[in-house]
Amino acid sequence: MRLPGLGGWSEDPLWSYVYPWLVEHERVGGAAWRAGTGSDLALLHDAAAELGNLPAGSRVLDVPTGSGVALRGVRPGQGLDVVAADISATMLRRASDTADRLGVADQVRTTLADVGDLPFADATFDLVATFTGLHCFPDPHRAVVEMVRVLAPGGVITGSSIFTDTGARYEPLRRVAGRAGILGPMCTSDEARTWLREAGCAQVELALHGALGYFRAVKAGPA
């Protein structure tokens, strides 16, 4: 049974307002994030900063973009081609607002898309960012396959997720958020590593921090 008043991602969930507020208010938000997840919000900022190191002309997919948290890593005038994709039109409008506010709207275009069936050709992007997204997807394995499919050889997939093998301490978080429709079936960190390798990635790195794990992998090139 879904908890009342919270809503799932096909609606306009309360969490979609809370999460970006936490990210934008690093001192208070960071303390709340640490109390709830046992993880450091600075890790998210550090991971998103990789976008700011990409050369001009790089193609980036941010999925699910949500309110555009990953866009905080893009620098004005950097010359990227960023596709902010989400299954929710409401989230896409918020991502557009975020891009405007950050002065990077000229580098960002939004697309309504299902991560399980991405409307992009193989090897389209140089980097795929999927922060706090894998745990939301109804089929996380399929999502990994699709995100790696659209990644060019030598490209990077980077992201974060709540994983199911982070201990009993975080089971109430997983259970309540699942009942609220915020979390999907999720997966273990070992499953995520395996799926990334099977999809064609090498140099798979995944480190657990509290309830979350941060991962980064590089798509292998031709043999």
Side-chain angles (χ1 to χ4, degrees), residues 158-177:
T158 180
S160 61
S161 176
I162 292 175
F163 292 103
T164 59
D165 56 336
T166 53
R169 173 183 173 184
Y170 303 108
E171 180 58 25
L173 168 66
R174 295 189 290 265
R175 188 181 300 275
V176 171

Side-chain angles (χ1 to χ4, degrees), residues 43-170:
L43 295 170
L44 175 61
H45 291 282
D46 291 345
E50 181 169 6
L51 276 70
N53 296 324
L54 295 171
S58 296
R59 302 157 299 170
V60 177
L61 174 64
D62 175 26
V63 59
T65 189
S67 62
V69 166
L71 302 181
R72 290 165 175 79
V74 180
R75 294 180 287 106
Q78 189 177 349
L80 301 184
D81 177 11
V82 181
V83 175
D86 205 288
I87 200 169
S88 166
T90 299
M91 299 302 169
L92 293 178
R93 287 192 293 271
R94 291 188 193 163
S96 292
D97 290 343
T98 297
D100 284 336
R101 179 164 47 82
L102 296 174
V104 297
D106 59 324
Q107 302 177 69
V108 178
R109 51 194 170 99
T110 60
T111 300
L112 196 66
D114 181 348
V115 72
D117 186 19
L118 290 170
F120 311 111
D122 296 356
T124 297
F125 299 98
D126 301 301
L127 185 143
V128 173
T130 180
F131 296 120
T132 59
L134 192 61
H135 55 238
C136 300
F137 301 143
D139 187 344
H141 186 187
R142 178 63 185 170
V144 168
V145 170
E146 277 290 277
M147 289 188 290
V148 176
R149 177 186 67 79
V150 302
L151 190 62
V156 169
I157 178 170
T158 180
S160 61
S161 176
I162 292 175
F163 292 103
T164 59
D165 56 336
T166 53
R169 173 183 173 184
Y170 303 108

Side-chain angles (χ1 to χ4, degrees), residues 8-28:
W9 293 110
S10 61
E11 305 163 23
D12 191 12
L14 176 62
W15 180 245
S16 70
Y17 295 88
V18 175
Y19 173 52
W21 188 93
L22 295 177
V23 173
E24 290 175 7
H25 298 80
E26 292 188 48
R27 185 172 181 179
V28 176

